[in-house]
Amino acid sequence: MSADQQKDTPEQAEFRAHAQAWLAENTPEPPTVRLPQSPLEIMTTDQLSYLQAWQKSAYDAGLVGCDYPVEVGGGGRQNCQRIANEEMRRARTPFMPNVIGLGMAAPTVFYHAQEELKQRLLPKLFSGEDIWCQGFSEPGAGSDLASVQTFAERKGDKWVINGHKVWTSLAHFAEWMILLLRTDKSVKHDGLSYFVVPIKSALGKGVTVRPLIKITGETGFNEVIFEDLEVDDSYRLDELGKGWQVAMTTLAHERGAGELVTPSSGGMKSESTHNTSAMALIDLARRTARNGATAAEDPLVRDQIMQQLIREQGLAENNRRGRVTELLDHPMRLALQNKLLMSEIMQDSAGIAMDIEGAAASLYLGDGSAPDGGQWPMAYMNSFGFTIAAGTSEVQRNILGERVLGMAKSK
């Protein structure tokens, strides 16, 4: 019995047994199509369909939305999503495609929408039938979120939206967007409001989605243009002018510091999945020739990998500590630290792999001579997105300093 299992309450133990039994029979076979390295790089309907089918089956089995009330499509359980996540990762299931919906939109809607809207939106979000995207960043407002200029003008019970959002992952598939915009130009933070917007049904009728090609050659990011799009006032979350406060709920969960655990899975072993752990680096170093020996025999490489192992172990211990209330001195400290550390560990691991591969790191997907099918160079390029998403590492360090350590605000 693992340490996690020993801490389970009787209800949690029953739920874990259910999850293990169901996963033993229902973990899907690897796909016949190549999958991207993360849900944020889904490009084709074949990729999306395979992953949506997985999320739907996991939801039907009660492994998604476990801790939300039954009335909004959840499982009505307490502290069971963490267990579901542990078992899905242990079973090496595929990842879920609705990553923005599950991690950001669901808690925001749950805490700030009217009851009827929750009951309408959340079940299809949990099942993956409705894909969601996030409309926060703009060409002139990335990390400075309070400066967004997309504007909504009120006309009776409707709002007319005009503006330009960018870096909107999954917008090319999304039915819905969580949207932060300005409803008052005379004040900064208090002039922001927050909406949920059905963008797919409005394509060509006030909404334009344009893909952005990334350095990896894949899509996933988009820009979204709003031109006189009308939405009903019932799609507004919380009070008018409270958009900044609602956005803080979104960001807290995006950074792993929210109260609701995000459903997550992944780890399926296939040619499309890629592991950037220190153990994967060891495997790569053992297979890579260097000056008549293997890279694993190079003292510098061994030291680099050992440093990564130490950081990974520290992250794992932080996660264990986060599950013991008595060991927490601040509700946001570990979650914010973990987001920062995890994204930078991934980037450094990919960088070390590039060093190990040497000149072969210039070979990419589709080249039969590329080590590991060219996945490491792709992971390296993708890694920069993770150190920018949800606030850059620099922003994350400022937040930790100001909100956790109580240091003076940066200028």
Side-chain angles (χ1 to χ4, degrees), residues 25-87:
E25 298 291 332
N26 295 282
T27 297
E29 295 294 323
T32 56
V33 297
R34 186 185 71 81
L35 292 183
Q37 290 184 341
S38 86
L40 300 181
E41 282 86 37
I42 298 173
M43 291 191 300
T44 70
T45 53
D46 286 342
Q47 294 171 337
L48 181 64
S49 296
Y50 173 84
L51 295 167
Q52 277 183 303
W54 156 242
Q55 184 170 327
K56 174 69 163 55
S57 64
Y59 173 65
D60 289 344
L63 304 186
V64 179
C66 314
D67 298 337
Y68 285 80
V70 173
E71 292 76 14
V72 299
R77 300 179 182 276
Q78 290 187 339
N79 300 320
C80 283
Q81 189 62 60
R82 172 183 59 80
I83 293 171
N85 294 355
E86 289 171 358
E87 296 303 329

Side-chain angles (χ1 to χ4, degrees), residues 62-120:
L63 304 186
V64 179
C66 314
D67 298 337
Y68 285 80
V70 173
E71 292 76 14
V72 299
R77 300 179 182 276
Q78 290 187 339
N79 300 320
C80 283
Q81 189 62 60
R82 172 183 59 80
I83 293 171
N85 294 355
E86 289 171 358
E87 296 303 329
M88 286 190 283
R89 285 195 290 269
R90 189 170 288 131
R92 295 186 176 278
T93 62
F95 54 67
M96 294 181 189
N98 202 16
V99 59
I100 294 170
L102 294 171
M104 291 166 252
T108 307
V109 169
F110 178 69
Y111 285 119
H112 297 282
Q114 296 181 18
E115 198 63 31
E116 184 277 332
L117 196 57
K118 297 180 194 178
Q119 295 178 12
R120 175 183 167 193

Side-chain angles (χ1 to χ4, degrees), residues 286-301:
R286 285 172 171 166
R287 291 184 281 110
T288 304
R290 173 176 293 184
N291 300 324
T294 68
E297 297 172 77
D298 184 321
L300 177 59
V301 171

Side-chain angles (χ1 to χ4, degrees), residues 3 28 62 104 120 127 137 172 210 276 280 342 344 406:
M104 291 166 252
R120 175 183 167 193
S127 71
S137 295
H172 51 306
R210 296 174 182 162
T276 59
M342 184 169 62
E344 295 192 346

Side-chain angles (χ1 to χ4, degrees), residues 152-224:
E153 181 180 9
R154 189 158 197 166
K155 291 188 176 180
D157 291 334
K158 302 285 186 181
W159 292 88
V160 180
I161 300 173
N162 283 282
H164 186 178
K165 294 292 179 179
V166 73
W167 314 127
T168 41
S169 300
L170 297 176
H172 51 306
F173 290 124
E175 277 81 10
W176 289 87
M177 171 187 280
I178 45 176
L179 178 60
L180 183 67
L181 47 68
R182 186 160 297 284
T183 49
D184 186 341
K185 296 181 179 179
S186 66
V187 286
K188 194 170 183 180
H189 291 79
D190 292 342
L192 298 170
S193 295
Y194 200 119
F195 287 75
V196 291
V197 176
I199 64 167
K200 192 166 192 173
S201 60
L203 287 175
K205 297 176 287 188
V207 173
T208 301
V209 177
R210 296 174 182 162
L212 299 172
I213 308 301
K214 299 189 298 183
I215 192 173
T216 60
E218 297 189 314
T219 59
F221 287 153
N222 302 272
E223 56 181 347
V224 180

